[in-house]
Amino acid sequence: MSQRWVTASDGVRLAVHEHGEPTAPTVVCVHGFPDDHGVWDGVVRHLADRFHVVTYDVRGSGASGVPRHNRDYRLPQLAADLTAVADAVSPDAPVHVLAHDWGSVQSWHTVTVPGTAHRFASLTSISGPDLDHTGRWFRAQLRPSPRRLWNVTRQSLASGYVGFFHVPGVAELACRAGLLDAVTRAARRLETGEAPDGYGRGLASRNRAGLKLYRANVLPRTLRPRARRADLPAQVLAPRRDMFVLAPWQTEITDWAPDTEIHLVDGGHWLPAFRPELVAEFTARLIDRIEQPDRIEQADRIEQADRTDRTDRTDRTDRIERTDRTRGAATPEPSIARKAGRE
């Protein structure tokens, strides 16, 4: 593992960590709040033998710079940060993005920015919707339909903490006092998989500047959503046990992200930390589809031929068994035949 610093367009320094072979396809992992790059440690272990895996601390977290003002955390600046990291670690080839929570929010925005969208080859998103789409999604749920009203009610309740995060001073105090860390510890009891050693301790207290992500972006983007279209290959991993970002909110996106696969998976909100092998498997599969299409097509043909062969063998076995049963039913038992002959 090597570390470098990337300077953002406004001068903020970003702590960047690189793993694996630099000449391999590059995967840039973007974390959310209140995490730092460490949320990806398990995923890195599963991917670094095949890919150039890059993690970094988003501004306001970990070892990266901590700007003071809300405006320093707006989505256009976050998109510029991600693009700067991509340019630094893979100047000659587009990068694949793997993102979670607020990392997904900013990544969806980034891959739709005209002029730089070509720098990104794919996106794997976990538990983080595009905020412009969010405004449109909430409006769509208000149309008369029991299912839509149920969806918007559930998601509104699940997102209730966002209002609390908008209260300056009070939310920071809750972070400093360890209250937010206690809440996230309780929420992690819904996770499946094994808890990584030491993960999550004091994150909200250390990374409380990330509260500005909510204050800088949520209301402006959801109240005045803009039309954004993501044309790159993408996939959404929607954990069934996520108590903050429910599946409909992050999966009903095919109208503006048409080349997107949706996968409902078992797990909770912190899927990258608790089920890193699952995240790595889905990520590698999408990257292989893009980087090695011939190999994937050949593997699909082999798998299809194998399924066809198994089906043919099953059909032949069924026909033989039916024939045997028919013959057995048509031939009288020996004892019965002898008795009929005597009569």
Side-chain angles (χ1 to χ4, degrees), residues 99-102 104-105 125-129 236-239 242 245 250 268-269:
H100 171 247
D101 189 75
W102 265 96
S104 290
V105 173
S125 173
I126 308 167
S127 297
V236 172
L237 307 186
D242 194 329
V245 183
Q250 59 174 317
H269 182 75

Side-chain angles (χ1 to χ4, degrees), residues 321-333:
E321 290 177 352
R322 286 196 298 269
T323 301
D324 289 344
R325 286 196 297 269
T326 301
R327 288 172 178 170
T331 304
E333 292 292 332

Side-chain angles (χ1 to χ4, degrees), residues 46-70:
H46 287 279
L47 289 179
D49 60 335
R50 293 189 55 208
F51 304 105
H52 176 214
V53 186
V54 177
T55 62
Y56 73 100
D57 292 324
V58 172
R59 59 176 54 218
S61 66
S64 290
V66 183
R68 293 180 55 190
H69 304 290
N70 288 345

Side-chain angles (χ1 to χ4, degrees), residues 107-299:
S107 295
W108 278 117
H109 184 91
T110 304
V111 300
T112 63
V113 174
T116 57
H118 67 280
R119 295 291 293 119
F120 304 98
S122 74
L123 171 60
T124 297
S125 173
I126 308 167
S127 297
D130 179 276
L131 283 187
D132 286 290
H133 172 68
T134 292
R136 296 172 179 272
W137 183 84
F138 270 99
R139 283 172 173 77
Q141 306 313 301
L142 298 178
R143 298 170 191 162
S145 161
R147 181 184 65 83
R148 291 194 183 103
L149 291 175
W150 173 240
N151 286 342
V152 75
T153 300
R154 290 174 64 229
Q155 186 57 65
S156 297
L157 292 173
S159 301
Y161 65 92
V162 174
F164 175 71
F165 285 174
H166 276 75
V167 183
V170 177
E172 281 83 356
L173 181 61
C175 289
R176 285 196 182 97
L179 296 179
L180 188 54
D181 284 314
V183 171
T184 55
R185 277 198 305 273
R188 289 185 184 117
R189 293 176 183 173
L190 295 175
E191 301 291 337
T192 59
E194 214 172 301
D197 292 337
Y199 170 71
R201 294 174 186 166
L203 281 171
S205 178
R206 295 195 302 272
N207 300 328
R208 58 186 178 274
L211 293 167
K212 295 182 175 68
L213 294 167
Y214 296 85
R215 298 166 188 168
N217 297 295
V218 172
L219 288 179
R221 290 286 169 177
T222 55
L223 294 179
R224 294 186 298 276
R226 305 170 189 177
R228 308 188 72 88
R229 181 181 173 90
D231 292 316
L232 81 174
Q235 63 181 344
V236 172
L237 307 186
R240 291 187 177 91
R241 297 169 181 251
D242 194 329
M243 63 181 296
F244 303 111
V245 183
L246 307 185
W249 187 17
Q250 59 174 317
T251 60
E252 295 177 359
I253 63 174
T254 52
D255 57 336
W256 65 274
D259 193 8
T260 300
E261 297 178 354
I262 305 298
H263 304 282
L264 296 177
V265 297
D266 190 32
H269 182 75
W270 281 276
L271 197 72
F274 285 80
R275 299 210 59 193
E277 75 293 339
L278 179 74
V279 173
E281 179 184 352
F282 275 102
T283 303
R285 190 182 304 168
L286 177 60
I287 295 173
D288 285 342
R289 195 183 89 194
I290 296 165
E291 298 286 343
Q292 305 179 44
D294 293 340
R295 174 186 167 193
I296 298 303
E297 185 178 347
Q298 182 181 14

